[in-house]
Amino acid sequence: AGRASNAALEDLRSQIVSYRQGFLEARDRNSARIATVQSQLDALGPPPEDGVSEAEEVAILRANLNQQLTQFRVPIVVSQEAYNRANGLITEIDSIIRERQAEALLKRGPSPLNPSHLVPAVEDLFDALRNLAVETRVATRNAIQTGEFQNALPAVVILTGVGFLLLLRGGRWSQRAGSALTRVSHSGQSVWEFFVSLGRIVLPLLGLFCIVAAVSVSSILGLRGQLVLESVVGWGALLIGFKWLAAQVFPKTGDPLIPVSAARARSARRNFFAAGFVLVFRDFASIFEQIENASEPTKAVLVFPIIIVAAAVLLRTRQVAFPSNKDMAELAADGSKPGILRIATGLRLMCLSIGIVAPVLAAFGYSQLAEALVFPAIATLAVFALVMVLQEFLSNIYGWLTGKGEAASESLFPALVGFAVSISSLPLLALIWGAREADLTELWQRFLQGFEIGDTRISPTDFLAFVVVFLVGYGLTRALQGALANNLLPRTRLDQGGQTAVVSGVGYVGIFLAALIAISTAGIDLSSIAIVAGALSVGIGFGLQTIVQNFVSGIILLVERPISKGDWIEVNGQMGYVRDISVRATRIETFDRTDVIVPNADFISGTVTNYTRGDTVGRLILPVGVAYGTDTRRVEAILREIAEAHPMVLATPPPSIVFQGFGADSLDFEIRAILRDVNWILSVKTEMNHQIAARF
């Protein structure tokens, strides 16, 4: 009938959510029994369809199993129906609450600029303060409360003294501790400074808590005073937290996280602190509205000055806390972080638009809409500052642990950390901008339920199980490869190329088995995605056939081993040593010390010259030309002596000297010798040429 309050609807929704969870658990309760009975039916095979009667025992067993299967499936059907109904009810409740929220935001109330509303609002405010003072005065004159105060006086004095001491001196103590710690430990200075800066929050806040506890124990406040007192610690946390954030983003010494000048950084710190006061005053106004049950005109009049101040804070923040458009263009040209500049552009636009629109809306009576814009905008600035501070802190920890120092900020880790922290802040931003906790919980529940592929449902827990099992399998595979490469295979008679082929093959098989085990552990039924996999395979066959061809060629190279790691080969006019054979391509290091990446298919379909296949023995051919009129027999004898004297030339077969013929300007001879290691052919040529020059 539309008479239920939002609180009642939220309570009803939470009950239905608990019921829905029970239905979800009941839906999977008989899965093991159903699987067992189904396996028994599969073992019996399909019933005969050709009219031949089945054996009586088999028919009875089949009927019993079918009956059990039906009974086991009844709770699943019932719970699924109830689960769907619960989902529908939750959706209806969410729709009602959202419609009410939208209606409240767009509802036009009394204008705070109406003079007839000003005097009653001021009177209501003074009445509230007067009532607070009266309650406090009555409490202090009450004999019972006076006795309680006297009994608690020692505790009140101690708590008050400790509280003021921590509140006034806690920040300085933290600063001194930071200076001492910096002198002791020179490494990781920025990390220690961050931890010390937290003391400027904890110690003053602890002092404020002691003071509040002292006032509470003294029993000198009435009901209104107690309600206000309960919020004092939260207000102090807001102010101290905003001051700390301002000091971290715009430090007095060092470079600010947002690139602005020193003068604008000072103004930004003050403005950020003022933003904390704005939120405190808004919370105080909310408490006043609840305690005094203020009228709509009074609410509008009291909150209007706070909205004006908040809008001014936003406009001032845009001016001093972010670089201007011209400055951002110069910073982008200088290579500053583009992510921060893009976010700064968006926040500048947010501050400008909300800072202008919110007061106008409030003046025309749309106070709730103005509040829903201006105060979340201030909170968004705080969240943005907190994300930047956490990213910088984690980057400093990474630089300290890795020894990279400030150079770590240029690595991939800060970007990944910033992305993770930003994603983690999204739920907080959603709550700030009016999302309900129930909405986020519902999204989380749907996320946990996963998605379906065929008849298989994949949930985040299944995906996590898949990742963990696969990583464990991958780690074991790498460990096995390391053991084979470093300990076992070097003790065998396999050459280097064979060892590399075995290690690579073990790696491929291990990763494949790890993927299969991870898939089965996650409960993914591969048969349910066979059709999708078949369609994808057709697309892969047409679009990635070259990559697949190279992949298969790489496997053939590892199995047949026409080339191995360390071989001296020539392919496609490129000559060099094989340094690595991967799945898609082979890396060749040329004699110019450059790497040439050759697709594996070229080794299978093309012509490859392998100078060191199987062994390093190879032939040397060294041409020699002598002048006409020279004694050819004497030339042959000298060349033979030179060839036989070289230690790299094999004696069997012996080197031979060939008289090639009569050239245009010389008599052409050749030394043909078999070298022990053809890799030294250039050195052997050089040494023989020196000997020939000396002997001739």
Side-chain angles (χ1 to χ4, degrees), residues 21 23 83 118 122 135 146 150 152 192 213 251 257 262 273 301 346 377-379 381 387 436 441 449 457 490 634:
Q21 184 62 29
F23 300 146
Y83 179 84
L118 181 60
V122 174
E135 281 188 352
T146 302
Q150 293 176 352
W192 296 119
L257 299 183
F273 193 49
V301 171
I378 293 177
L381 294 176
V387 168
R436 297 156 45 234
T441 305
Q449 292 174 18
R457 175 174 291 275
R634 181 60 176 161

Side-chain angles (χ1 to χ4, degrees), residues 338-631:
I340 293 180
L341 298 181
R342 284 195 297 268
I343 296 176
T345 302
L347 292 178
R348 279 173 54 87
L349 181 60
M350 179 192 73
C351 293
L352 176 63
S353 57
I354 295 179
I356 295 175
V357 171
V360 176
L361 291 174
F364 281 96
Y366 295 99
S367 297
Q368 292 194 34
L369 183 57
E371 292 181 49
L373 291 175
V374 68
F375 300 119
I378 293 177
T380 299
L381 294 176
V383 172
F384 169 68
L386 182 61
V387 168
M388 292 185 62
V389 171
L390 290 179
Q391 180 184 3
E392 184 72 13
F393 169 64
L394 295 175
S395 300
N396 290 335
I397 289 183
Y398 175 74
W400 176 39
L401 296 179
T402 58
K404 296 181 179 180
E406 296 182 357
S409 60
E410 303 299 329
S411 63
L412 181 62
F413 182 80
L416 295 177
V417 168
F419 178 76
V421 175
S422 300
I423 293 298
S424 303
S425 67
L426 292 181
L428 180 59
L429 290 174
L431 292 175
I432 288 174
W433 285 97
R436 297 156 45 234
E437 293 183 10
D439 294 332
L440 300 181
T441 305
E442 186 69 17
L443 289 176
W444 180 249
Q445 289 294 333
R446 293 185 179 180
F447 173 73
L448 292 180
Q449 292 174 18
F451 57 94
E452 291 185 356
I453 299 180
D455 296 332
T456 302
R457 175 174 291 275
I458 301 177
S459 65
T461 54
D462 296 333
F463 179 75
L464 181 62
F466 170 82
V467 171
V468 171
V469 174
F470 179 77
L471 290 179
V472 170
Y474 181 81
L476 293 176
T477 300
R478 291 304 185 193
L480 179 59
Q481 285 182 292
L484 290 174
N486 299 324
N487 298 324
L488 183 60
L489 293 179
R491 301 179 182 180
T492 64
R493 296 182 179 180
L494 281 176
D495 58 2
Q496 183 62 37
Q499 295 179 20
T500 303
V502 171
V503 171
S504 300
V506 169
Y508 296 146
V509 173
I511 292 175
F512 178 73
L513 292 178
L516 284 182
I517 296 173
I519 290 173
S520 61
T521 303
I524 301 175
D525 186 7
L526 295 180
S527 61
S528 61
I529 59 176
I531 298 178
V532 178
L536 289 177
S537 63
V538 174
I540 291 174
F542 284 103
L544 302 178
Q545 55 182 343
T546 303
I547 295 177
V548 175
Q549 180 184 12
N550 289 325
F551 174 76
V552 176
S553 300
I555 296 177
I556 294 175
L557 289 178
L558 292 175
V559 174
E560 289 188 357
R561 294 175 55 208
I563 62 172
S564 301
K565 185 177 180 180
D567 285 353
W568 174 15
I569 67 171
E570 182 179 359
V571 58
N572 295 338
Q574 299 289 338
M575 181 181 296
Y577 292 103
V578 177
R579 294 307 185 193
D580 184 38
I581 303 176
S582 61
V583 176
R584 190 196 66 84
T586 297
R587 180 170 64 90
I588 299 175
E589 182 183 347
T590 67
F591 299 122
D592 296 330
R593 297 295 181 180
T594 58
D595 286 345
V596 178
I597 310 301
V598 181
N600 288 332
D602 291 355
F603 292 96
I604 302 301
S605 60
T607 301
V608 181
T609 303
N610 193 334
Y611 293 96
T612 57
R613 176 74 178 105
D615 55 40
T616 59
V617 176
R619 187 171 71 165
L620 164 69
I621 298 178
L622 181 62
V624 180
V626 297
Y628 276 89
T630 305
D631 186 353

Side-chain angles (χ1 to χ4, degrees), residues 126-140 220 222 224-225:
F126 279 104
D127 287 342
L129 297 176
R130 190 180 305 109
N131 293 334
L132 179 63
V134 170
E135 281 188 352
T136 304
R137 186 167 58 253
V138 170
T140 54
I220 61 174
R224 290 180 173 83

Side-chain angles (χ1 to χ4, degrees), residues 37-38 41 44 47 59-73:
V37 175
Q38 187 63 52
L41 286 172
L44 293 179
I60 294 174
L61 179 58
R62 187 188 303 278
N64 291 334
L65 291 176
N66 283 322
Q67 184 179 2
Q68 292 179 30
L69 189 62
T70 302
Q71 292 176 353
F72 291 151
R73 285 176 174 171

